[in-house]
Amino acid sequence: MRTILGKLTQQFFLAVLVASVTATVCAKVHAVHVAKVVADYSEAELVADVESIAPSSSFSMLLTITPREHWHLYWKNPGDSGARIITDWTTTQNAVVDDAPWPVPQRIPAGPLMNYGYYEATTWRFPVAVPADASGEVTLRLDAEWLVCDVECVPQFGVFEIAIPLGTSTVAAPTVEARAARAQDGLPIALPWSATAIGGSDATELRVAMTQDEAQLVSDAYFFSEDDGLTSYAASQAFYAQGESLVLSIPAPATGMTAQATRGVLVLTPAGGLAEAFELDVPIQLSMPPGASLTLWKALLFALLGGMLLNVMPCVFPILSLKALSLATLAGEQPRKARADGLAYTTGVVVSFLGVGGALVALQLGGAAVGWGFQLQAPLFVMCLAVLMFTIGLNLAGYFELRLPGAGVGQGLTDRAGVTGAFFTGVLATLVASPCTAPFMAGALGAALTQPPGTALLIFAFLGLGMALPYLTVSFMPMLGRAMPRPGPWMIKFRHLLAFPMFATAVWLLWVLGQQVSIDTVALALLAMVTVALVIFVGQQFSVRVAAVLIGVVGIGGAALVDGPWPSTAPASLSSGLVYEPYSEAHLRELRAAGEPVFVNFTAAWCITCQVNERVALSTSTVMDHFSGAGIRALKADWTNRNADIARKLASYGRSGVPLYLFFPPGAETAELLPQILTPDLLVRATEG
């Protein structure tokens, strides 16, 4: 009995010893390399998916973070608030750790905000590459920082360090396979359909090409934007099936920021099925503005008609008076000289339009948000133009005669004007025409700014040709010239009378200058005008040399006065009978969301067409009573000074200048574009419910 008991005892201890040795060996064969951090409101664990690694191979490090119940982590784009996880790796053996793909997020509402993140344990899988010359072991250190939030937000920190032995072959860690598989299942997959994205002023339209049955089967769709600036996170994303496409409308942010691509995760939920997540990276195409849909020949025709109509716009009246004077002299000209005068004037207009158009295209290609009339947004240019108008007025009033070869304005009216004077009259006509946008012209300009530079310049050339065409026609048709009154003493009085439109133009430009900057700058411009008159007086009463010295002294003093940046103050509110609210995209979106009718006036102090519309339509009691009774909210987008947001909004409607009038009826998805020339009755009819 003792012998049997002794043998059993011996076998028992032997079995225990064998089991112990076996367990130890197994623990070494299946060693799990793990580091864990327990923070205040979360736990984090870093684990390798291998037990050992061979040189010139790769493996993964899996970081799992588990927030406390009801708390959450954040995605790579946290949404309206929050912060993404920050990881900083340090390795030995020149091992390289790549970024981990991000698991599909959840929508996390927080009052009026919307955030993107995770409520449950989430795993990030970081790929690691080991070079061929590695030996011994590779050590990986991770310094991580993440934010967890519930009602409050608390930053969490963790430092993890793992050493993995290098062997002749890679040995996987079986106990980590399930975690790695779950991490892979949490990632979005490639989109199996083609997709396009069209960017608009209010929303980006994402269109996914799928079968009609597939599109109609979708019961929910949402796009998580990877980049800030694409979407208003808290706004709902409407979707609908349209033929063989699923269309998702992604509301634009109120901040005015823009994104270049719809890059992120598209989550589609079929009726009665589980949600599926797809990776998406589609460049955003600009929405086709109204002018961009014009064919080239229509754009050229609109440019020609718009240029012709510029001759009857208020801003060109002063120059029309100059050309009326020239037309009167044509009656006594020989046909050849009349044609030369007409061609020179046309050349001046077309070359100037090409210059302005070329500068505009170059600035836009360089990323500047500018449009038609952009030069009048520069106070120094406005000041110089005011002084020039004043100087021409002095010349026409007979205060001085500028006797330069070919300069017809300053010579006797019975003298031949000469091609030089006609050319520079065309240049001047273009400068003062730039504040106006005539009918047909808006569409042509919108088309020009969506075309390659060569095509755009062709459209600008046709604008100039259209403006010069009436005068060119008269110069090539002698019978029209003979219909003009014959030259005589009456023309001297007519010339003196024409000085007053020039003085009035100078006053208007000074008013624009005051809207842009300050009364001090207006005083500086007035001082420049007085100086011009003084220089002319000295030149006539004493000598041209003394006048030249005076110009030099005044020029140096003037340069010192205007040196440095011009004041960048907000323009004063333009006078109008309507009660306007300042325009902003956020305010417009807020009013539209509330279902209110909204009228938006894109205007500028230097835009004469805008000011005429203010006086003859917008400030009338008929319009004011109608707006008040209908509850129409009026917003003013003042473009007197440069404003990139307003320029982009204009471009989204195919316009490169003002005026632009928009009306948003209650609940309407898009705006109604009103004509550029307004009357009270037209405005009331266009804004009636």
Side-chain angles (χ1 to χ4, degrees):
M1 184 70 181
R2 289 180 180 177
T3 303
I4 295 173
L5 184 60
K7 286 183 177 180
L8 289 174
T9 303
Q10 184 180 14
Q11 289 177 356
F12 173 76
F13 280 109
L14 180 61
V16 171
L17 178 62
V18 170
S20 176
V21 171
T22 303
T24 302
V25 172
C26 290
K28 290 185 177 180
V29 173
H30 298 295
V32 178
H33 303 287
V34 61
K36 189 171 184 178
V37 170
V38 179
D40 295 334
Y41 297 90
S42 62
E43 294 183 0
E45 185 176 80
L46 181 68
V47 61
D49 67 350
V50 294
E51 296 176 357
S52 63
I53 185 70
S56 190
S57 58
S58 60
F59 65 101
S60 296
M61 299 295 293
L62 290 92
L63 174 66
T64 301
I65 302 179
T66 306
R68 181 186 288 186
E69 188 178 3
H70 303 307
W71 291 62
H72 61 266
L73 307 165
Y74 288 97
W75 189 52
K76 64 195 310 182
N77 178 4
D80 282 316
S81 62
R84 61 186 289 168
I85 299 170
I86 299 173
T87 56
D88 183 20
W89 290 90
T90 305
T91 67
T92 62
Q93 302 295 336
N94 294 319
V96 177
V97 183
D98 286 334
D99 292 334
W102 285 77
V104 178
Q106 303 166 266
R107 283 175 274 181
I108 302 176
L113 307 179
M114 178 64 72
N115 299 324
Y116 299 155
Y118 315 94
Y119 279 111
E120 60 280 331
T122 306
T123 300
W124 288 264
R125 188 173 184 174
F126 295 87
V128 184
V130 179
D133 59 352
S135 61
E137 66 178 15
V138 57
T139 301
L140 302 103
R141 174 190 166 102
L142 170 62
D143 290 86
E145 178 182 347
W146 61 95
L147 185 69
V148 291
C149 294
D150 183 15
V151 176
E152 60 180 318
C153 291
V154 181
Q156 309 277 269
F157 306 91
V159 178
F160 311 82
E161 186 169 316
I162 290 178
I164 302 173
L166 287 157
T168 57
S169 63
T170 298
V171 179
T175 57
V176 183
E177 289 180 355
R179 186 185 304 189
R182 287 195 300 271
Q184 185 63 37
D185 292 341
L187 300 178
I189 63 176
L191 188 71
W193 309 283
S194 62
T196 57
I198 307 296
S201 60
D202 299 321
T204 296
E205 182 184 272
L206 177 63
R207 187 175 291 269
V208 181
M210 54 178 63
T211 67
Q212 187 171 359
D213 291 340
E214 288 173 327
Q216 292 179 345
L217 191 62
V218 175
S219 63
D220 188 42
Y222 192 85
F223 179 71
F224 293 92
S225 174
E226 180 177 325
D227 300 317
D228 197 13
L230 174 70
T231 180
S232 175
Y233 302 110
S236 60
Q237 298 181 7
F239 68 95
Y240 55 92
Q242 186 180 73
E244 294 189 343
S245 293
L246 177 72
V247 181
L248 179 64
S249 179
I250 306 171
T255 59
M257 297 175 63
T258 58
Q260 301 300 316
T262 48
R263 181 170 48 242
V265 177
L266 175 63
V267 178
L268 302 179
T269 304
L274 298 176
E276 296 181 273
F278 305 94
E279 285 184 309
L280 194 68
D281 190 353
V282 181
I284 295 178
Q285 307 171 29
L286 292 178
S287 59
M288 192 67 70
S293 61
L294 295 176
T295 60
L296 178 59
W297 74 267
K298 283 185 178 179
L300 295 177
L301 177 61
F302 278 25
L304 196 69
L305 293 173
M308 292 176 63
L309 289 173
L310 271 179
N311 288 285
V312 298
M313 300 301 289
C315 49
V316 194
F317 282 164
I319 301 305
L320 281 181
S321 63
L322 279 178
K323 293 318 298 172
L325 194 60
S326 299
L327 287 173
T329 63
L330 281 177
E333 293 284 1
Q334 298 176 3
R336 180 181 299 177
K337 294 188 178 296
R339 289 193 293 270
D341 186 86
L343 288 172
Y345 173 74
T346 302
T347 302
V349 173
V350 172
V351 167
S352 300
F353 265 88
L354 286 174
V356 174
L360 181 57
V361 170
L363 288 170
Q364 291 202 333
L365 288 176
V370 295
W372 179 250
F374 70 95
Q375 67 272 29
L376 285 165
Q377 292 175 328
L380 183 58
F381 179 87
V382 174
M383 176 189 286
C384 293
L385 192 58
V387 174
L388 177 61
M389 292 294 103
F390 174 73
T391 305
I392 293 175
L394 291 179
N395 174 255
L396 292 174
Y399 185 70
F400 74 101
E401 298 292 341
L402 183 62
R403 298 189 176 276
L404 296 175
V409 172
Q411 297 186 21
L413 293 178
T414 56
D415 296 342
R416 294 181 175 88
V419 294
T420 303
F423 177 87
F424 284 105
T425 301
V427 173
L428 184 63
T430 304
L431 288 177
V432 298
S434 57
C436 285
T437 305
F440 297 105
M441 189 174 166
L445 286 171
L449 297 180
T450 62
Q451 301 296 323
T455 306
L457 290 179
L458 180 62
I459 295 174
F460 276 102
F462 266 70
L463 278 167
L465 180 61
M467 182 173 174
L469 194 57
Y471 184 76
L472 183 65
T473 302
V474 171
S475 65
F476 272 79
M477 299 182 69
M479 68 287 301
L480 295 178
R482 286 194 290 270
M484 299 291 295
R486 293 187 175 277
W490 67 272
M491 299 184 70
I492 301 297
K493 296 180 180 179
F494 185 50
R495 170 192 174 180
H496 293 166
L497 180 64
L498 292 182
F500 293 96
M502 295 301 168
F503 292 142
T505 303
V507 171
W508 164 66
L509 289 168
L510 290 175
W511 177 78
V512 171
L513 191 62
Q515 296 285 338
Q516 290 176 317
V517 280
S518 65
I519 191 63
D520 293 341
T521 313
V522 174
L524 182 61
L526 290 170
L527 181 61
M529 292 177 179
V530 173
T531 302
V532 166
L534 176 61
V535 168
I536 293 171
F537 172 79
V538 170
Q540 289 185 332
Q541 298 298 322
F542 300 97
S543 70
V544 176
R545 292 181 180 178
V546 177
V549 172
L550 182 59
I551 290 174
V553 173
V554 172
I556 295 173
L561 286 174
V562 301
D563 186 33
W566 286 73
S568 181
T569 57
S573 177
L574 308 182
S575 59
S576 172
L578 283 177
V579 178
Y580 281 107
E581 302 169 49
Y583 163 83
S584 72
E585 189 64 24
H587 189 34
L588 174 60
R589 193 186 310 278
E590 178 186 339
L591 293 177
R592 291 180 61 192
E596 299 198 42
V598 185
F599 172 78
V600 187
N601 177 6
F602 290 82
T603 184
W606 41 261
C607 170
I608 298 186
T609 308
C610 304
Q611 301 309 314
V612 171
N613 285 334
E614 290 279 357
R615 300 300 185 273
V616 304
L618 293 167
S619 297
T620 61
S621 58
T622 300
V623 171
M624 289 189 291
D625 292 344
H626 168 66
F627 272 48
S628 177
I632 299 174
R633 304 286 288 271
L635 306 184
K636 176 167 288 186
D638 194 339
W639 208 37
T640 302
N641 290 333
R642 291 181 184 175
N643 184 303
D645 292 336
I646 293 177
R648 281 191 291 267
K649 191 70 172 180
L650 290 169
S652 71
Y653 286 95
R655 300 291 176 85
S656 67
V658 289
L660 172 65
Y661 304 106
L662 304 177
F663 178 64
F664 294 89
E669 292 293 329
T670 58
E672 296 178 5
L673 274 68
L674 277 59
Q676 292 174 296
I677 306 299
L678 299 178
T679 64
D681 290 343
L682 183 154
L683 195 54
V684 169
R685 288 196 303 270
T687 55
E688 284 178 338

